[in-house]
Amino acid sequence: MAGHNGRDAGAPADPTGPGSPAAAAAPDPRRWKALAVCLVAGFMTLLDVSIVNVALPSIREGLSTPVSDLQWVVSGYALAFGLFLIPAGRLGDARGRRPVFMWGLTLFVLASAACGAAQSSLWLVLARLVQGLAGGLVSPQISALIQQLFSGRERGRAFGMFGTVVGISTAVGPLLGGLIIQAAGADEGWRWVFYVNLPLGAVCLVLAHRLLPDTPAAGRVTPRDLDPVGVLLLGGGVLALLLPLVQSEQWHGNAKWLLLVVAAALLAGFVRWESRCRTAATQPVLDLSLFRIRSFRLGCLLILLYFAGFTTVFFISTLYLQSGLHYTALQAGLAITPFALGSGAAAALGGRLVGRFGRPLVAVGLIMVAAGLGLTALAVHLVPGRGVGWATAAPLLLAGVGSGLVIAPNQTLTLAQVPVVMAGSAGGTLQTGQRVGSAIGIAVVGSVFFAQVTADGWAAAFDHGLVVAVGFVVAALLVALADIAVARREENRLRTGNRPGTEDRLRTGRRRRPGPGRNQR
């Protein structure tokens, strides 16, 4: 959600920023209708992260798709989505948010049509990559338009609605996908999971042209503004990291692990390049100075690990239920629905409670997710066979409620101490972490899952995949606990130091001067 309400130092001022004539003008009377268009488009692009999961078994049979391509159908979309968020945000700031929104949505609709018409697994994977790129173009324009259209409490309400869409869209995908496949048929229904975007996208395009406001262009866009070198280094590094994991069953021998060395070199080169960009004319795709802020640094790491864990649950659950237990796509979607219900119910509550409880609220949510997924694995052992869907309902509901207390509250806390001038880059970085985390999680958990299927069967594969997913969630919990511990130490240090006679030292950072006249300046 790369909402660019501010710019890096030296960039032209945002004509819609606080204190500007535009901000002081009367609010746009069509702003809530415009927000509705943005939320529908955002829901559609984020939904495609998970809606395809219930279609994977049908895709596998219809296109004779190898398991590595199934993983790329899911993780490739998330990776392309994440890598283009920050450059797309800059493009919208410079060329106008409405036209970039419409370009991205048009490309998304065309890529969806290409996905539905795919005649081979390679065709589908490439179309999904383009679809992910298009989603990355659309998403940052939404939060930037919210900044432009709303102010004060209205802006908080609008961002709260968008945060709820982000949380629910991923969780509800399997159910909607199951309903579509049930209505269109098991053989060709997977194609309609993509085709459904066509009429919805067309309506959004018409309404976007009528309702979204113009954005005064800040100037021409040059390649240096989009940091293509940084994007290529980051994308190449993550790709080299994912390849040996996704292709572990197809590539035999140990040579494939040399790609991890390549990944380390590319990512190190990315960090070095981004550090140099701060002193050059090129705007970095990732402002490394943001990571000096503890809450931002730990919040980004937390959400990357969390998305690597929780988004993979839908991937392995639908494969297990449909291919292992022969559930229909609708039955598989319904079996995962408790997670969506819990997440939706808790998302709004988390947004209200985060100001009161802070990071401990996120930690409680992570504990609930880990416990819910652990109980899900236990339920599979206690109630084997086709009764698994009923046995896992309560544990998945618990995990969903926990998820609702993690995503939106973590976003609020992670961005709370970020300077306004860096808000756009920070929001884009956070969203990039979510998508890259999803791609890494699918690669890691998917490789464990498919390796275990061939060895011990579907139930064992699901069990092992859940263990790895829970491991990612527990790692996110450890990050949250570390943030809480550091914050409490700082509070205790301030509390014990805030005694009479020390207030000036805390305020100025200097020791009090002894002797008479020490208060004179």
Side-chain angles (χ1 to χ4, degrees):
M1 291 177 293
H4 284 51
N5 64 323
R7 291 181 173 272
D8 296 327
D14 184 353
T16 65
S20 67
D28 191 328
R30 301 179 299 177
R31 62 193 182 281
W32 291 107
K33 294 179 180 179
L35 176 64
V37 174
C38 291
L39 294 183
V40 171
F43 182 82
M44 184 169 60
T45 56
L46 293 170
L47 184 70
D48 265 59
V49 175
S50 63
I51 192 173
V52 73
N53 284 315
V54 292
L56 293 176
S58 299
I59 293 172
R60 186 179 185 181
E61 294 180 7
L63 298 179
S64 300
T65 306
V67 294
S68 60
D69 285 357
L70 287 181
Q71 288 173 268
W72 280 116
V73 167
V74 180
S75 61
Y77 179 87
L79 181 60
F81 194 117
L83 291 178
F84 280 89
L85 281 167
I86 299 175
R90 289 210 185 95
L91 185 64
D93 281 351
R95 302 305 298 167
R97 289 150 195 157
R98 183 179 71 175
V100 174
F101 179 96
M102 296 181 67
W103 296 341
L105 195 54
T106 300
L107 183 60
F108 185 85
V109 170
L110 294 175
S112 298
C115 288
Q119 299 301 310
S120 68
S121 58
L122 178 60
W123 178 339
L124 179 59
V125 169
L126 292 176
R128 282 286 283 176
L129 289 172
V130 176
Q131 194 187 32
L133 185 156
L137 282 173
V138 172
S139 188
Q141 314 315 321
I142 296 172
S143 52
L145 283 165
I146 290 175
Q147 292 275 43
Q148 179 178 338
L149 287 165
F150 299 94
S151 61
R153 291 184 179 180
E154 282 193 346
R155 181 180 291 175
R157 284 179 57 198
F159 270 121
M161 294 168 70
F162 185 39
T164 301
V165 166
V166 171
I168 293 177
S169 57
T170 303
V172 80
L175 175 60
L176 293 182
L179 288 170
I180 292 170
I181 293 175
Q182 180 75 14
D187 294 334
E188 297 294 316
W190 67 267
R191 298 184 184 277
W192 287 96
V193 167
F194 301 109
Y195 285 149
V196 73
N197 291 329
L198 274 61
L200 191 59
V203 172
C204 276
L205 280 170
V206 172
L207 294 177
H209 180 72
R210 293 180 55 188
L211 297 174
L212 297 188
D214 290 321
T215 304
R220 292 176 59 252
V221 178
T222 66
R224 299 175 74 179
D225 293 325
L226 305 180
D227 190 13
V229 175
V231 172
L232 289 174
L233 286 172
L234 178 59
V238 175
L239 185 63
L241 178 66
L242 296 183
L243 272 175
L245 298 170
V246 175
Q247 303 291 142
S248 59
E249 294 298 305
Q250 286 70 36
W251 294 354
H252 302 290
N254 295 322
K256 62 192 175 191
W257 301 114
L258 292 176
L259 280 173
L260 297 181
V261 179
V262 176
L266 288 172
L267 293 174
F270 169 75
V271 172
R272 182 173 177 81
W273 172 261
E274 296 301 284
S275 300
R276 292 180 60 189
C277 281
R278 291 188 60 214
T279 58
T282 300
Q283 296 294 324
V285 68
L286 177 59
D287 192 335
L288 298 180
S289 66
L290 285 168
F291 292 95
R292 297 174 185 170
I293 304 171
R294 190 198 77 247
S295 60
F296 180 82
R297 179 174 66 248
L298 294 180
C300 285
L301 178 59
L302 184 154
I303 208 63
L304 185 149
L305 292 168
Y306 179 66
F307 266 72
F310 105 97
T311 55
T312 60
V313 174
F314 309 118
F315 179 70
I316 61 175
S317 294
T318 53
L319 285 171
Y320 169 54
L321 293 172
Q322 290 180 257
S323 298
L325 299 179
H326 306 294
Y327 277 37
T328 66
L330 178 58
Q331 288 171 333
L334 287 171
I336 307 172
T337 298
F339 190 103
L341 294 175
S343 179
L349 179 65
R352 291 197 298 268
L353 294 179
V354 64
R356 179 178 177 185
F357 294 103
R359 188 69 74 186
L361 177 68
V362 177
V364 170
L366 289 167
I367 292 172
M368 294 173 69
V369 174
L373 296 182
L375 291 172
T376 299
L378 178 62
V380 172
H381 286 284
L382 295 178
V383 187
R386 290 181 61 83
V388 161
W390 290 106
T392 58
L396 286 176
L397 179 64
L398 174 64
V401 172
S403 185
L405 300 179
V406 172
I407 298 176
N410 180 74
Q411 174 180 308
T412 301
L413 295 168
T414 302
L415 301 179
Q417 297 181 22
V418 173
V420 173
V421 72
M422 304 172 75
S425 179
T429 301
L430 185 63
Q431 181 79 346
T432 300
Q434 294 176 5
R435 300 305 147 208
V436 172
S438 296
I440 292 173
I442 294 295
V444 174
V445 176
S447 63
V448 171
F449 178 84
F450 286 117
Q452 204 66 36
V453 163
T454 58
D456 298 319
W458 291 99
F462 181 63
D463 189 32
H464 283 73
L466 270 184
V467 169
V468 179
V470 170
F472 279 119
V473 175
V474 170
L477 174 61
L478 293 177
V479 173
L481 294 177
D483 191 22
I484 293 169
V486 172
R488 286 182 176 174
R489 281 201 301 269
E490 291 180 352
E491 289 176 4
N492 289 335
R493 187 163 57 247
L494 290 172
R495 188 179 301 113
T496 56
N498 194 19
R499 294 188 297 267
T502 63
E503 182 180 353
D504 60 330
R505 178 170 56 84
L506 289 173
R507 184 172 59 250
T508 66
R510 296 191 297 267
R511 293 182 179 274
R512 292 176 53 182
R513 299 176 184 176
R518 61 180 178 269
N519 292 326
Q520 296 176 5
R521 295 288 185 266

